[in-house]
């Protein structure tokens, strides 16, 4: 079951409006072997918002959850099942 690939959509709100915040996250996704596609990115209320489509196995998603929770530049995030 761990080897099954899952695809999910993540909506993220970053703490600021600097685009390097999303680049930092994307570099981490690459290191963890998670495939991603940036679906949307904009700025609202002085904060960067992004929507990513991510694909990986359960182990990779567990690592992603930990990354998202511990990144100080991410204010909030939530998943949408595809």
């Amino acid at each position: 079951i761990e080897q099954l690939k899952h695809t999910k959509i993540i909506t993220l709100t970053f703490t600021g409006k600097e685009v390097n915040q999303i680049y930092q996250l994307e570099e981490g996704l690459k290191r963890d072997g998670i495939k991603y596609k940036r679906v949307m990115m904009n700025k609202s209320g002085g904060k960067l918002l992004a929507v990513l489509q991510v694909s990986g196995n359960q182990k990779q998603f567990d690592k992603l959850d930990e990354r998202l929770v511990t990144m100080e530049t991410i204010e909030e995030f939530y998943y949408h099942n595809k």
Side-chain angles (χ1 to χ4, degrees):
I1 292 179
E2 282 188 12
Q3 297 305 315
L4 292 176
K5 293 287 182 184
H6 304 278
T7 299
K8 297 182 181 184
I9 304 288
I10 309 174
T11 300
L12 304 132
T13 303
F14 292 86
T15 56
K17 59 186 174 191
E18 297 81 23
V19 75
N20 67 335
Q21 294 178 28
I22 192 156
Y23 296 153
Q24 178 186 8
L25 173 61
E26 290 174 346
E27 284 300 315
L29 296 176
K30 286 179 194 174
R31 280 194 304 275
D32 293 343
I34 297 172
K35 295 186 187 307
Y36 70 92
K37 176 183 176 185
R38 190 181 322 147
V39 178
M40 187 268 312
M41 180 171 67
N42 67 27
K43 184 175 77 170
S44 177
K47 297 188 180 182
L48 181 65
L49 307 171
V51 177
L52 299 178
Q53 178 180 322
V54 293
S55 297
N57 62 37
Q58 188 58 50
K59 204 176 224 183
Q60 289 168 317
F61 274 105
D62 291 345
K63 207 174 219 183
L64 175 58
D65 289 343
E66 185 178 328
R67 178 181 300 282
L68 295 175
V69 168
T70 58
M71 282 184 72
E72 292 181 9
T73 57
I74 295 179
E75 187 170 287
E76 65 180 16
F77 70 93
Y78 56 94
Y79 288 99
H80 311 268
N81 287 328
K82 186 175 178 195

